[in-house]
Amino acid sequence: MSEIISKLEMKKITKKFPGVLACNNIDIYLKSGEILALLGENGAGKTTLMNVLFGLYQPEHGKIFINDKQVIINSPSTAFKYGIGMVHQHFMLVPNLTVVENVALGLIGKRIFKLDLNKVRKRIEEVSKEYGLSVNPNAYIWQLSVGEQQRVELIKVLCLGANLLILDEPTAALTPQETDELIVLLKQMAEKGRSIIFISHKLNEVKAVSNRVCVLRNGSLVYEGKTQKHSVATLAEKMAGREIYMPTLKEKSQANSPILEIKNVFAKGNMGTMALDGLSLTVSKGEIVGIAGVSGNGQKELADVINGISHIERGKILLNSKNIANLAPQQIINKGIGYIPEDRMHEGTIPSFSVKENIIMKDYNKKPLSKKMFLQNSIIEKYSQKLISNFDIKCPDNKTMCASLSGGNVQKVILARELSRKPKMLIAAYPIRGLDLGAAEYVHEQLLEARSENVGILLISEELDELLDICDRIAVIYEGKILEILDRDIATKTKLGLLMAGIKNEKKAI
Amino acid sequence: MILDFIIGIISAGIPLAAPLLLAGLGEMFNQRAGVFNLGVEGIMLMGAFVGFLVVLTVGSPILGLLAAIAVGALMGLLMAVVTVKFKAQQGISGIGLFMLGWGLSGTLFRVYIGGITSITGIKPFSFPLLGKIPIIGEIFFQNNILVYIAFLLVPISWYVLNKTAWGLKVRAVGTNPQAADTLGIKVERIRFQCIILGSMMAGLAGAYLSIAQTHIFADNITAGRGFIAVALVYFGRWKPAGIMWGTLLFSLAHALQRSIQVYGINFPYEIAVIIPYLLVIVVLALSYKSQLLGPVALGKPFIRGSRE
Amino acid sequence: MKKKLYSEAIYRLLIIVIAVFSALFVGAILLLIAKTNPLTAYYVMFTEPLSGKFGLTEILVRAAPLMLVGLGIAISFRSGIINIGGEGQILIGAIFGTFIALTFPDLPPYILLPLVFIASFIGGAIWGGIAGWMKAYLSVNEILSTIMLNYIAFQVYMFLIRGPMIDPKEVAYGTGVPQTALLSKNAWLTRIIPASRLHAGIIVAVVLAILVYIFLWKTTIGYKLRAAGAEAKAAKYIGVNVKNYLVLAMLLSGGFAGMAGAIEVCGVHHRALESISAGYGFSGIVVALFGGLHPLGIIPASAVFGLLIVGADMMQRSVTVPASIILAIQGLIILAIVSSQIFFSNIGLKEKIMIKLKLMKSGDKDDT
């Protein structure tokens, strides 16, 4: 076990990436037993700063002190040596190894031959007993749920002797209830003298868990102070640097004529099991229906079958009362369904194609953009310029590769393409994931404007705030079925959270 | 007569499996660490040439084998620099390495040797007593030493991969290099080690062909065996035992094809020669589902900070 | 903006030059090992072909098949499939074309030649298509399958020119050289420079290169092919049948290699013989990569490698180093080119170097 970290200081940390100053002269400190929240939008520099502390990146300037002694952390193994452990946003587990083997990877260091898994197993059992984190050490990672995998991550860093834990967006894939459990656990750890850095952009969690908060914006530290002194709203303002009004729905939808009807649909997922298990749902014109749920409950398959990317086994999908189930994607596109895919870099756009080529992705084979197989370059040129200025896409020119644009601008390319085709129905999967608040605001404004133009919208998201902001109704998906649909006026986070965990009879419980 | 025919095929087939096995196990280490090394064919050619040249000039088969292993390591180092340091596309890099090995071995052969010469090299030997057992002795106890080494490497490779700390690192690096990186494992170093180890085994496999099997060197002596070894890694699902069964299947088919010619069965020579290559394609087509089980990071360069 | 493009171009050129020089440097060491003075060897290789009509025409004679194979490979790489089977596709194309030419010797050239080329295209396309189909529908690694198909094609080709299609004269005289009968003059490509082997095939190749450029970048099918290769997931969503486009890419790729076979048969040898391909299948990969997988880059690239190959032959004669060294040098060039890609894809590295070379000021950011 390494020495207890009673004080950690990062002084004047600067880290540059091509074209970006990710961390600019940042000072932070942390004492043992303290939970520090690192708050900031995407791209504010939180993860970069922590990767510096964890030894994955070397800063251009700046020093790190542990217990008043300067240390140089140039690799994760050095970080472990000093008792620093990190749980990454994307779990760093090897799926085809067991829990024991995953933990052992961190413990073997430079060893070549000796591999004593029993010793590791014992260590895991000790740690899981101490913190009440139960896990089967012999299970393969791929057999575990997301929540369990996170437990393995925590056990892993604890087994490696971490006194200081860095958690990068740890609640991203958890249900509200799992999140609450995690917060309790973190507080317990802090009481035992460990210190924790909690990276998040979710203000409520930061409020609930942390003693102190550091707010980063555009790579600089803009605020540092006690968490309890501030409300969620003031923290949001500090984070965005201005007052942000995420657009919300004002009046209830009047429209009642259904545009998309999904009736008792069954479809297989990647693993060959029924990912959609008798799902039914209706979206009306001029209405936004949200799909809430823990990821992996059929959201991806739902978006895929509506867009014709995968097939359904049984059931009906009606657009304007006409069955579109199992048509080819192109036919479905032509019938007026727009799609903002979850994977915007690989499904929504072709990264190595230019902005221009991405804008015409759905119309390249239609007049006037092409005539008899030949692309009409001058018309394409004008059309793409128009969309770039209408949707305020920031790019040097229309020949720039999409891969070199920021996430927000890639999403604008997709929005421009989809909305300018005047769809009757729009499927939006996690449209603001990973975007900064400004870009998210823009996306929501566009969705609301489409709604006012009578487009039916299906919004798939994990962020309950997003759903509560702009949906007329919120449907909760659980194990391939819609468990319940709540109107916006009665939907609350608690209700949705219980439903997301598959608990339906909450009325009795409350 | 039939029995003799079968024994003949088996006892001819087992030594034919050795080079495929050596190269295949080497390629397995490459691929388990996430690197697709198609240069095996070129490395084998260089190993075959250098090994042969050393035996021809110095006379010592051991030195010949060591030289082949050394030249394999050198070519592996080149492959590692290109694919790991420069993160180049692995498939095409392998083809480049193949052309290098092919062209260079052919050139040096013409410069240093000139024509077909034969060497004594490594000869099979008969185990005392055991070698005299009928049938079993003929099949199992009358081979050259490298055959035993090759087959012994099957359990050793399994043990190294599954029961040692290094093996655990290799498996992690080939599946989720990012995770391995965050645990302080030097991803690039492990990949370097695996490529060089695999290439040394390929060099040895090449030397087997010239020193122990044919006792000559000729341009393009490997005739695609390096590529076949790569295919057999898929067929064997990245497991040493699986690869061994694959090489046996191949070498028996090869021996059968030779016997057909020897026994003068009327069959165009060219068509018989095609059989192993056809078999590779069939084997690849049949093992396509197993690719889902392969090292997930196979073929992808490791770049710190990227999520894929 | 213009200045940026200019310094960008200089950077690009610089990296490629460095890559090629490092390949030649390692090649020089190999030449030393092969008991040859690398300076004289390179001098002969690069200058001798340029010093006379014979060398200059020969360069173009080699460039024609290289260009066709390179075009095919560019199509396949752009479509996300790595075709290493040029060698086999050339042979099958050559034998298909030869068969047509021998079967209809009396057809007038303007009918016979197109027929021969179409047949060769079909032959190569079948050979490439097999690998494409297996890639698309059975997930068979195309590199391995195309290599295996090379070996198979060679044996099939040898079987045919040694057996059923052998020149009757070879049988009659008992010499038994494996080659087919001489084609009728109707199937010969016109020699465009007298007293040289330079034939009209080079014109055919250049025209096809321009057509491929138009096809890939100016038509909807080309758009779909490139989309399928660049991002299969997105392509699938917009209605591109990715599997079929993989097969199409391999059909075209194989077809172009097949036509290279026809060019050699009709333009150079006027029959099918054992060494018809001379390694063009592999050299075509180098040409395609060197030409940036772009048809308009492949035109000059094929001339460069035509030069190298002719130069290597001359080197063999005057410096007595075997011409097979050129294969090793081409392998080195492949390794150098694929290694150099990191200097374009790693933007941080690129900026650092450009700043050092004063092609860019450190304050300049990418405006994205």
Side-chain angles (χ1 to χ4, degrees):
Chain A
M1 269 290 232
S2 43
E3 198 186 345
I4 284 281
I5 301 179
S6 49
K7 193 169 154 208
L8 168 92
E9 291 166 284
M10 295 180 81
K11 286 187 177 165
K12 302 207 180 306
I13 302 290
T14 299
K15 174 74 194 164
K16 285 180 200 154
F17 287 117
V20 191
L21 189 55
C23 294
N24 183 9
N25 226 6
I26 297 180
D27 286 303
I28 63 164
Y29 70 94
L30 180 64
K31 290 179 180 145
S32 80
E34 200 179 22
I35 303 182
L36 171 72
L38 210 52
L39 190 65
E41 298 190 340
N42 276 290
K46 300 166 294 185
T47 305
T48 308
L49 184 66
M50 288 302 106
N51 280 338
V52 167
L53 179 57
F54 190 57
L56 281 170
Y57 295 150
Q58 308 317 313
E60 267 80 30
H61 303 290
K63 290 172 181 164
I64 300 172
F65 294 86
I66 291 176
N67 300 342
D68 294 321
K69 267 181 285 179
Q70 190 187 343
V71 294
I72 288 166
I73 303 175
N74 49 18
S75 77
S77 24
T78 334
F80 290 135
K81 211 176 75 197
Y82 290 118
I84 299 169
M86 183 162 174
V87 175
H88 298 260
Q89 186 180 0
H90 300 269
F91 297 152
M92 291 299 181
L93 297 168
V94 184
N96 61 349
L97 300 184
T98 63
V99 173
V100 185
E101 286 176 320
N102 267 284
V103 176
L105 271 175
L107 291 169
I108 48 185
K110 288 199 170 122
R111 232 172 282 158
I112 294 174
F113 295 108
K114 206 175 154 223
L115 182 64
D116 188 352
L117 291 180
N118 284 326
K119 209 166 128 196
V120 179
R121 203 169 285 129
K122 243 180 231 152
R123 182 93 190 90
I124 293 176
E125 277 156 15
E126 278 167 32
V127 169
S128 34
K129 222 185 243 166
E130 194 182 346
Y131 292 95
L133 290 161
S134 70
V135 69
N136 170 13
N138 297 323
Y140 283 95
I141 299 299
W142 56 265
Q143 297 171 320
L144 304 178
S145 72
V146 177
E148 288 170 311
Q149 291 189 19
Q150 180 154 51
R151 239 176 283 159
V152 176
E153 280 281 19
L154 281 170
I155 290 173
K156 188 171 82 181
V157 289
L158 291 170
C159 283
L160 299 179
N163 289 314
L164 187 155
L165 273 76
I166 308 164
L167 290 98
D168 190 359
E169 305 269 0
T171 61
L174 302 185
T175 63
Q177 281 74 15
E178 283 175 316
T179 304
D180 291 344
E181 283 168 28
L182 179 71
I183 288 176
V184 173
L185 179 73
L186 294 181
K187 286 188 164 168
Q188 268 177 29
M189 288 182 179
E191 273 163 28
K192 291 189 180 176
R194 294 204 152 84
S195 30
I196 292 165
I197 300 178
F198 185 93
I199 306 178
S200 183
H201 65 273
K202 291 185 188 166
L203 299 158
N204 292 323
E205 288 166 10
V206 166
K207 199 70 185 122
V209 75
S210 66
N211 310 112
R212 212 151 48 78
V213 57
C214 285
V215 183
L216 300 186
R217 192 193 321 137
N218 293 333
S220 301
L221 181 68
V222 293
Y223 175 78
E224 186 266 307
K226 292 254 187 274
T227 312
Q228 62 198 52
K229 280 190 187 161
H230 296 282
S231 68
V232 167
T234 49
L235 287 177
E237 200 184 311
K238 293 195 187 310
M239 188 161 101
R242 63 184 163 106
E243 287 182 65
I244 285 269
Y245 296 104
M246 282 304 277
T248 52
L249 207 53
K250 300 287 173 341
E251 79 290 0
K252 233 191 139 184
S253 159
Q254 301 304 320
N256 242 334
S257 60
I259 173 84
L260 182 77
E261 296 163 88
I262 300 166
K263 292 185 173 169
N264 204 23
V265 161
F266 290 80
K268 281 186 182 158
N270 267 346
M271 301 308 225
T273 52
M274 278 296 167
L276 296 180
D277 200 6
L279 184 140
S280 299
L281 183 69
T282 302
V283 181
S284 295
K285 287 177 186 159
E287 180 191 42
I288 303 184
V289 175
I291 298 278
V294 177
S295 72
N297 272 296
Q299 292 94 324
K300 184 184 177 304
E301 289 80 4
L302 178 62
D304 280 356
V305 296
I306 297 174
N307 288 295
I309 297 163
S310 56
H311 281 193
I312 66 171
E313 304 282 313
R314 261 189 292 149
K316 275 184 186 157
I317 302 174
L318 306 178
L319 181 74
N320 266 338
S321 315
K322 276 184 218 107
N323 199 0
I324 57 161
N326 293 351
L327 293 183
Q330 184 117 46
Q331 289 171 295
I332 294 174
I333 291 168
N334 292 343
K335 292 207 187 292
I337 289 195
Y339 183 30
I340 300 172
E342 172 182 2
D343 187 350
R344 66 180 76 105
M345 276 323 260
H346 299 291
E347 195 161 10
T349 56
I350 298 173
S352 61
F353 273 29
S354 64
V355 171
K356 178 169 79 175
E357 284 176 311
N358 271 297
I359 280 177
I360 63 161
M361 215 170 104
K362 284 185 168 177
D363 299 295
Y364 65 91
N365 56 358
K366 294 201 186 77
K367 276 184 188 170
L369 298 182
S370 64
K371 263 187 220 154
K372 288 188 181 137
M373 260 178 61
F374 287 96
L375 297 169
Q376 301 300 308
N377 202 27
S378 56
I379 297 170
I380 291 171
E381 192 68 31
K382 268 187 219 142
Y383 179 70
S384 61
Q385 293 296 2
K386 195 180 91 190
L387 262 59
I388 286 171
S389 72
N390 283 359
F391 284 81
D392 192 28
I393 299 166
K394 292 200 177 63
C395 53
D397 61 26
N398 64 0
K399 289 182 190 67
T400 312
M401 281 201 304
C402 250
S404 61
L405 300 186
S406 70
N409 277 307
V410 171
Q411 196 68 313
K412 280 183 183 175
V413 170
I414 299 174
L415 273 173
R417 183 181 71 216
E418 297 301 321
L419 293 176
S420 53
R421 308 183 77 249
K422 302 278 169 224
K424 297 184 187 117
M425 175 72 210
L426 182 69
I427 317 295
Y430 312 97
I432 62 165
R433 183 191 276 172
L435 301 187
D436 60 41
L437 284 175
E441 186 184 10
Y442 182 83
V443 171
H444 279 181
E445 275 165 6
Q446 292 291 328
L447 291 182
L448 286 172
E449 198 180 313
R451 172 182 177 271
S452 67
E453 283 163 12
N454 237 4
V455 179
I457 297 174
L458 188 67
L459 174 63
I460 301 174
S461 175
E462 282 165 354
E463 303 250 359
L464 294 180
D465 291 321
E466 173 177 26
L467 295 169
L468 290 166
D469 274 354
I470 61 166
C471 291
D472 294 287
R473 294 184 295 143
I474 300 171
V476 178
I477 191 169
Y478 182 74
E479 293 189 342
K481 286 196 232 350
I482 298 297
L483 207 55
E484 197 158 320
I485 305 177
L486 302 176
D487 270 348
R488 65 174 278 114
D489 22 329
I490 61 159
T492 63
K493 278 196 182 179
T494 325
K495 282 185 195 171
L496 291 170
L498 285 167
L499 285 167
M500 281 161 71
I503 303 162
K504 203 178 173 182
N505 48 357
E506 37 100 27
K507 274 175 203 144
K508 287 172 210 157
I510 293 172
Chain B
M1 170 68 197
I2 290 285
L3 189 67
D4 281 353
F5 184 71
I6 292 171
I7 293 169
I9 287 176
I10 297 178
S11 55
I14 286 179
L16 288 176
L20 288 176
L21 193 51
L22 287 167
L25 290 173
E27 178 69 12
M28 181 197 72
F29 280 106
N30 276 298
Q31 296 202 7
R32 284 306 280 262
V35 182
F36 180 58
N37 185 355
L38 261 181
V40 175
E41 178 85 2
I43 300 170
M44 281 178 76
L45 280 166
M46 280 305 288
F49 168 73
V50 171
F52 181 83
L53 184 67
V54 169
V55 176
L56 189 67
T57 49
V58 184
S60 155
I62 302 281
L63 282 182
L65 295 179
L66 288 177
I69 291 173
V71 83
L74 213 59
M75 290 188 72
L77 182 67
L78 178 62
M79 181 70 181
V81 169
V82 170
T83 58
V84 180
K85 271 280 163 253
F86 289 106
K87 305 180 199 313
Q89 216 277 2
Q90 296 173 1
I92 306 171
S93 308
I95 295 302
L97 198 67
F98 158 58
M99 287 167 70
L100 171 63
W102 182 18
L104 189 60
S105 61
T107 305
L108 296 182
F109 170 64
R110 286 178 195 108
V111 172
Y112 284 92
I113 299 170
I116 299 294
T117 324
S118 78
I119 51 168
T120 321
I122 297 173
K123 290 274 187 211
F125 67 98
S126 180
F127 275 83
L129 299 177
L130 290 176
K132 300 224 165 62
I133 305 171
I135 304 179
I136 293 179
E138 195 178 331
I139 294 175
F140 294 110
F141 298 107
Q142 296 183 3
N143 289 307
N144 71 63
I145 179 78
L146 284 174
V147 176
Y148 302 107
I149 291 176
F151 279 90
L152 208 59
L153 279 172
V154 175
I156 291 175
S157 302
W158 177 85
Y159 184 85
V160 168
L161 203 56
N162 293 295
K163 296 290 164 192
T164 67
W166 185 74
L168 182 62
K169 290 180 200 173
V170 171
R171 285 183 288 148
V173 163
T175 315
N176 191 344
Q178 268 73 25
D181 187 37
T182 61
L183 288 169
I185 291 166
K186 304 266 184 271
V187 175
E188 302 202 335
R189 190 179 298 169
I190 297 283
R191 289 196 167 169
F192 257 76
Q193 291 165 351
C194 282
I195 297 173
I196 292 174
L197 172 69
S199 304
M200 286 160 78
M201 289 169 77
L204 182 62
Y208 180 97
L209 289 177
S210 61
I211 301 177
Q213 185 169 313
T214 58
H215 306 283
I216 58 158
F217 180 86
D219 196 11
N220 213 359
I221 184 175
T222 49
R225 283 184 185 79
F227 295 117
I228 293 175
V230 176
L232 288 176
V233 176
Y234 283 76
F235 175 75
R237 304 190 170 202
W238 295 272
K239 294 191 175 80
I243 294 167
M244 182 186 75
W245 294 122
T247 55
L248 282 173
L249 170 77
F250 252 83
S251 52
L252 292 181
H254 195 173
L256 176 72
Q257 166 231 314
R258 281 190 181 181
S259 313
I260 288 173
Q261 285 168 246
V262 171
Y263 278 74
I265 297 166
N266 196 8
F267 204 64
Y269 161 78
E270 291 88 352
I271 304 301
V273 175
I274 284 175
I275 291 171
Y277 307 117
L278 271 180
L279 203 55
V280 171
I281 293 179
V282 173
V283 152
L284 284 173
L286 290 178
S287 55
Y288 78 99
K289 277 217 168 122
S290 78
Q291 296 187 16
L292 302 171
L293 307 168
V296 180
L298 182 59
K300 294 177 189 148
F302 170 68
I303 302 165
R304 184 178 272 180
S306 83
R307 282 178 192 166
E308 271 185 320
Chain C
M1 203 72 222
K2 264 219 171 110
K3 193 168 171 254
K4 200 179 154 190
L5 281 177
Y6 171 74
S7 48
E8 183 87 28
I10 291 192
Y11 176 76
R12 209 158 254 283
L13 193 72
L14 202 72
I15 294 291
I16 290 175
V17 168
I18 292 173
V20 170
F21 266 93
S22 32
L24 292 179
F25 179 76
V26 180
I29 298 174
L30 302 185
L31 282 166
L32 279 176
I33 297 174
K35 300 180 183 169
T36 310
N37 180 346
L39 291 178
T40 32
Y42 280 147
Y43 182 78
V44 171
M45 199 159 101
F46 286 106
T47 59
E48 204 142 302
L50 298 172
S51 62
K53 183 174 118 184
F54 172 75
L56 287 168
T57 54
E58 276 301 299
I59 290 173
L60 296 180
V61 169
R62 310 297 170 108
L66 284 175
M67 204 184 300
L68 285 177
V69 178
L71 286 172
I73 284 167
I75 294 175
S76 73
F77 280 29
R78 287 269 175 195
S79 313
I81 184 162
I82 299 173
N83 177 15
I84 308 294
E87 204 68 17
Q89 292 146 11
I90 291 172
L91 294 179
I92 301 295
I95 207 73
F96 266 57
T98 309
F99 178 79
I100 293 295
L102 290 174
T103 314
F104 306 106
D106 301 325
L107 284 177
Y110 56 88
I111 296 178
L112 185 55
L113 272 171
L115 269 184
V116 168
F117 271 79
I118 290 168
S120 297
F121 183 90
I122 292 172
I126 292 172
W127 218 243
I130 295 172
W133 181 82
M134 290 202 304
K135 162 88 172 174
Y137 292 94
L138 299 174
S139 311
V140 171
N141 180 306
E142 77 276 18
I143 305 182
L144 288 170
S145 65
T146 47
I147 288 170
M148 292 303 134
L149 285 165
N150 282 346
Y151 290 107
I152 295 172
F154 181 71
Q155 296 301 338
V156 170
Y157 181 80
M158 287 310 290
F159 169 72
L160 290 173
I161 63 172
R162 213 178 261 155
M165 289 176 73
I166 196 169
D167 186 352
K169 279 183 202 144
E170 295 291 335
V171 182
Y173 301 149
T175 37
V177 175
Q179 58 182 24
T180 63
L182 205 61
L183 307 187
S184 81
K185 290 218 163 150
N186 294 346
W188 294 16
L189 280 166
T190 326
R191 297 256 145 112
I192 50 181
I193 290 185
S196 83
R197 297 202 300 169
L198 185 59
H199 55 84
I202 186 73
I203 299 167
V204 175
V206 171
V207 169
L208 283 170
I210 293 164
L211 287 179
V212 168
Y213 167 70
I214 294 172
F215 171 73
L216 278 179
W217 273 276
K218 306 283 175 195
T219 71
T220 55
I221 300 176
Y223 182 92
K224 287 193 233 183
L225 264 178
R226 287 186 301 120
E231 192 53 68
K233 217 169 151 189
K236 193 179 163 198
Y237 168 56
I238 55 165
V240 178
N241 185 331
V242 174
K243 291 184 174 182
N244 288 350
Y245 273 83
L246 276 185
V247 179
L248 174 65
M250 278 304 285
L251 287 172
L252 291 173
S253 186
F256 271 83
M259 287 197 290
I263 273 201
E264 287 304 282
V265 169
C266 303
V268 181
H269 306 289
H270 303 142
R271 56 160 42 116
L273 40 75
E274 181 172 353
S275 60
I276 190 101
S277 163
Y280 292 134
F282 287 106
S283 304
I285 301 170
V286 200
V287 168
L289 288 174
F290 196 74
L293 300 180
H294 195 291
L296 304 183
I298 288 171
I299 297 175
S302 55
V304 171
F305 283 88
L307 166 76
L308 283 183
I309 292 172
V310 176
D313 281 348
M314 294 179 161
M315 191 166 79
Q316 173 161 0
R317 248 167 278 138
S318 58
V319 197
T320 69
V321 58
S324 56
I325 191 73
I326 195 63
L327 193 62
I329 291 175
Q330 285 180 32
L332 288 171
I333 291 176
I334 290 188
L335 289 170
I337 291 177
V338 290
S339 295
S340 69
Q341 293 309 309
I342 193 173
F343 295 97
F344 305 120
S345 63
N346 184 333
I347 299 165
L349 187 66
K350 181 174 156 188
E351 263 182 22
K352 234 188 238 166
I353 297 173
M354 285 182 74
I355 289 166
K356 260 204 188 133
L357 295 173
K358 303 215 165 81
L359 284 169
M360 197 170 124
K361 276 184 231 128
S362 58
D364 286 1
K365 277 189 188 177
D366 259 354
D367 336 342
T368 46

